[in-house]
Amino acid sequence: VNHGVDDMVISQAWNKTKEFFDLPAEKKMKVSPSMTSDYPYGYIPLGGEKLAAGRDAEVGKEESSAPPDLNESFSVGPERSDLNNAPMRQWPSHDPSFVSAWNQYYASLETLSSNLLETFAIALKLPSNWFEDKIDHHRCALRALHYPHPEGKIKPGQLRASAHTDYGSLTILLQDDAPGGLQVKAADERSGG
């Protein structure tokens, strides 16, 4: 509540994202950019990611034995600028209104993130603009995940999104009314238990 992101901007982005994920798998693959080492955004198909692999790497495991996650995703980064040296945004080609909805939503979340960090600074008794020069050339990702109802046999230990640590300063989540939900481990070995 009181986040300042216009409800219409949220609903347009949400509706366009739902329409995208409702496309047949073959069409999503055909019309979408894929993640590469040069472009760390794009479309990841159902079962194409293991979030646990990143967490395992953090704690020194060489290869994750976790099965692929039961979700698909699409993400974009910031508009390219001289400061951030981000790759040019790549979009699915199926619907131009998807692009405008996501551009508006991304810009709104940039503002929200900046406002939250200003609030954090005040709470930490720092000048309100303390984070400004630390986020002026960010590489934040806007990422939508789709968790379709699992079909067929689920592998032992397979989750919709396996254990992971988010990267960056903060994560903003858009909630829905779907059953189940995010589980958060409040403390781990890095925080002293």
Side-chain angles (χ1 to χ4, degrees):
V1 297
N2 301 321
H3 47 68
V5 180
D6 186 278
D7 288 341
M8 183 61 74
V9 170
I10 294 170
S11 67
Q12 286 175 343
W14 183 261
N15 291 336
K16 290 299 170 186
T17 301
K18 183 180 180 329
E19 288 173 11
F20 171 76
F21 285 129
D22 285 347
L23 293 172
E26 307 79 40
K27 182 159 186 176
K28 285 182 280 197
M29 291 299 293
K30 184 178 179 182
V31 302
S32 301
S34 297
M35 284 190 172
T36 66
S37 58
D38 293 332
Y39 189 75
Y41 312 106
Y43 176 65
I44 299 176
L46 183 64
E49 180 174 51
K50 284 195 259 185
L51 290 172
R55 178 142 173 94
D56 288 348
E58 281 182 17
V59 295
K61 282 188 183 177
E62 286 193 26
E63 188 174 326
S64 176
S65 61
D69 293 342
L70 294 171
N71 69 58
E72 61 181 333
S73 67
F74 181 78
S75 63
V76 295
E79 288 282 0
R80 182 178 178 79
S81 76
D82 291 338
L83 290 175
N84 68 18
N85 198 28
M88 294 295 293
R89 283 183 172 167
Q90 297 178 32
W91 297 102
S93 60
H94 73 293
D95 180 1
S97 61
F98 177 95
V99 177
S100 60
W102 268 57
N103 275 328
Q104 285 184 305
Y105 191 51
Y106 191 101
S108 295
L109 291 178
E110 278 183 308
T111 300
L112 175 58
S113 298
S114 178
N115 292 342
L116 286 169
L117 288 170
E118 183 178 329
T119 303
F120 294 170
I122 292 167
L124 293 167
K125 299 187 182 347
L126 297 168
S128 62
N129 66 348
W130 193 85
F131 287 104
E132 276 182 19
D133 65 345
K134 291 138 186 90
I135 63 169
D136 60 350
H137 51 278
H138 69 81
R139 295 286 293 268
C140 296
L142 172 57
R143 181 171 155 102
L145 286 98
H146 177 230
Y147 302 97
H149 184 75
E151 295 179 7
K153 188 171 171 89
I154 296 172
K155 297 175 182 171
Q158 194 167 30
L159 301 169
R160 289 181 164 204
S162 52
H164 64 281
T165 302
D166 285 359
Y167 50 89
S169 303
L170 60 101
T171 298
I172 299 171
L173 297 172
L174 175 62
Q175 300 177 38
D176 63 15
D177 294 325
L182 179 67
Q183 296 178 353
V184 178
K185 185 176 179 181
D188 64 15
E189 60 278 355
R190 290 174 293 173
S191 64

